[in-house]
Amino acid sequence: MKILVVEDHEEVLTSIVELLSADFTVDSALDGDEGLFLAMQNIYDVIVLDVMLPYKNGFEIVKDLREEGILTPVLLLTAKDALEDRVEGLNLGADDYLVKPFQGPELLARIYALLRRSGKLSIDSSLKYEGIVLKGKEHPVEVNGETIHLTIKQFELLEYLIQNQGKILMKEQIFDRVWGFDSDTTVAIVEVYVHQLRKKLEPFNYGTAIKTVRGIGYILKED
């Protein structure tokens, strides 16, 4: 799972990133412009977004994302406890609201609730597609009740496809999500790993479930 945290207070940002890094891959930004740029890549499972930010505030970022059709769940953070602020954020398309100061366990609970609500995570914290079950990188992948072993990147690619089953994912989108913006490889690596993943799934008749959308990317769906 990949989370974006946008917070202009460096100490608060550092503490949130440290907390979330135990369970998630975390990107961060200190201002609204950078936060919006990263959020627009549409590669995150949840965005944790401070309201009061330099250049562009959290309300404006949520508005811009929803107008672009990006539906990533957004958890707003604010020091303001006024009802009108909570209502404004939710009306603009935010999914939840947490008032500062807050405790780490509450932040984690809110994030996991958003993941379950969006279908990214099931109640038992596993991801499923047909007979494929992912329970986390520390566990082997089960396919039709049998165990297969994937590399970390193969796992992350399959995880991202399952999280977005039925949706077309651009190669660039997959690359940014799985390898990251600062990777020293190129987007061509996506084709290599899709081929590897198909080979791993072929014995279970799932190799053809990862379909190529010519000139765009890939989609995981039934025939």
Side-chain angles (χ1 to χ4, degrees):
M1 297 285 181
K2 195 163 190 174
I3 292 182
L4 172 65
V5 181
V6 189
E7 164 63 61
D8 66 326
H9 193 291
E10 289 194 39
E11 290 183 7
V12 175
L13 178 63
T14 299
S15 65
I16 293 175
V17 170
E18 288 178 354
L19 171 71
L20 299 183
S21 294
D23 295 327
F24 307 100
T25 299
V26 185
D27 287 343
S28 62
L30 280 164
D31 63 68
D33 282 349
E34 183 183 5
L36 178 61
F37 170 77
L38 292 173
M40 282 290 188
Q41 309 310 308
N42 199 17
I43 60 173
Y44 300 99
D45 298 294
V46 172
I47 298 171
V48 178
L49 180 63
D50 189 27
V51 170
M52 302 302 293
L53 293 167
Y55 309 125
K56 186 178 285 284
N57 67 42
F59 293 146
E60 294 172 318
I61 292 174
V62 172
K63 184 174 182 291
D64 289 347
L65 290 175
R66 299 311 186 231
E67 287 178 349
E68 288 297 317
I70 295 175
L71 302 178
T72 307
V74 173
L75 173 62
L76 286 178
L77 304 178
T78 181
K80 296 180 180 179
D81 196 15
L83 175 62
E84 57 267 25
D85 290 320
R86 296 200 298 271
V87 171
E88 180 180 359
L90 296 173
N91 283 341
L92 286 170
D95 299 271
D96 201 357
Y97 207 98
L98 191 56
V99 176
K100 297 177 181 177
F102 52 84
Q103 297 296 315
E106 182 179 10
L107 176 61
L108 279 171
R110 297 287 186 99
I111 289 172
Y112 275 108
L114 289 177
L115 290 170
R116 288 192 295 269
R117 195 185 312 166
S118 65
K120 300 281 187 177
L121 199 67
S122 64
I123 297 299
D124 63 0
S125 298
S126 63
L127 281 173
K128 299 177 182 177
Y129 172 79
E130 299 292 321
I132 303 173
V133 181
L134 278 61
K135 296 183 178 180
K137 295 177 188 177
E138 69 278 11
H139 299 285
V141 177
E142 292 182 5
V143 185
N144 294 342
E146 295 187 37
T147 295
I148 66 170
H149 295 278
L150 302 178
T151 66
I152 291 176
K153 292 304 181 188
Q154 289 170 352
F155 180 96
E156 291 176 348
L157 172 59
L158 180 58
E159 177 185 51
Y160 193 38
L161 288 167
I162 292 177
Q163 288 170 346
N164 294 277
Q165 54 190 279
K167 300 177 184 178
I168 296 173
L169 296 173
M170 296 183 294
K171 289 181 183 178
E172 293 79 8
Q173 198 174 359
I174 296 171
F175 178 78
D176 290 342
R177 168 60 184 253
V178 177
W179 282 269
F181 299 102
D182 56 353
S183 173
D184 56 2
T185 187
T186 68
V187 72
I189 197 70
V190 175
E191 295 182 30
V192 175
Y193 273 78
V194 167
H195 174 73
Q196 293 176 357
L197 194 53
R198 283 169 170 162
K199 296 290 285 184
K200 291 281 184 77
L201 297 175
E202 263 180 16
F204 306 94
N205 297 319
Y206 286 114
T208 59
I210 305 173
K211 294 175 171 53
T212 300
V213 182
R214 191 173 299 278
I216 300 177
Y218 302 95
I219 183 172
L220 178 67
K221 69 173 186 177
E222 299 177 32
D223 288 326

